[in-house]
Amino acid sequence: MNQKLALLAGSLFGALSVMIGAFGAHALRNLLTQTNRLETFETAVKYQFYHALALILVGLLAFHLQHAGLRWAAICFTLGILIFSGSLYILCLTGVTWLGAITPIGGTFMIIGWFSLLYAVAKSL
């Protein structure tokens, strides 16, 4: 993933975080409260937003540091958002509980993304 793509993905995921969070807070609040999934939904939005910002950071760093670890960080953050937050959104809206089993895979991608970022910065400076 190059700088531009990381910046575009981070911006898109950031905008979607605000939109999905607002939708959850207003249109879905009753459903999420009744199903006891409000906190789960909020966790999905939070982690999506944090990693959207991380993607923007990686995209900006890539203008100054040339290291493959940045590319892997961006890929892992993107996969983490899609799998972690995505599985939690689907779980909250459908009640399909087996999706909870794949959520940790997304979290693992997020962790690998942070370590890839750490490695890239440590090796570049």
Side-chain angles (χ1 to χ4, degrees):
M1 182 174 292
N2 64 28
Q3 304 98 309
K4 182 177 180 180
L5 195 52
L7 291 168
L8 289 171
S11 299
L12 176 62
F13 283 131
L16 288 172
S17 296
V18 175
M19 294 165 58
I20 292 168
F23 188 66
H26 300 289
L28 298 176
R29 186 173 215 44
N30 288 338
L31 170 71
L32 294 171
T33 302
Q34 289 171 356
T35 59
N36 203 26
R37 299 276 188 212
L38 183 60
E39 188 176 321
T40 302
F41 192 86
E42 289 173 348
T43 297
V45 172
K46 260 191 293 194
Y47 276 72
Q48 179 177 331
F49 193 70
Y50 296 155
H51 290 86
L53 292 175
L55 274 167
I56 292 170
L57 171 66
V58 167
L60 293 173
L61 277 173
F63 283 106
H64 302 286
L65 305 177
Q66 301 301 315
H67 195 280
L70 293 177
R71 179 177 179 271
W72 284 109
I75 290 168
C76 288
F77 289 150
T78 300
L79 290 172
I81 290 169
L82 293 172
I83 298 169
F84 181 88
S85 294
S87 66
L88 290 180
Y89 293 141
I90 294 169
L91 169 70
C92 290
L93 296 175
T94 67
V96 177
T97 55
W98 67 264
L99 285 168
I102 67 166
T103 303
I105 297 168
T108 301
F109 274 115
M110 291 174 172
I111 293 166
I112 294 168
W114 286 108
F115 278 116
S116 296
L117 177 58
L118 173 69
Y119 182 75
V121 171
K123 289 296 184 178
S124 297
L125 298 177

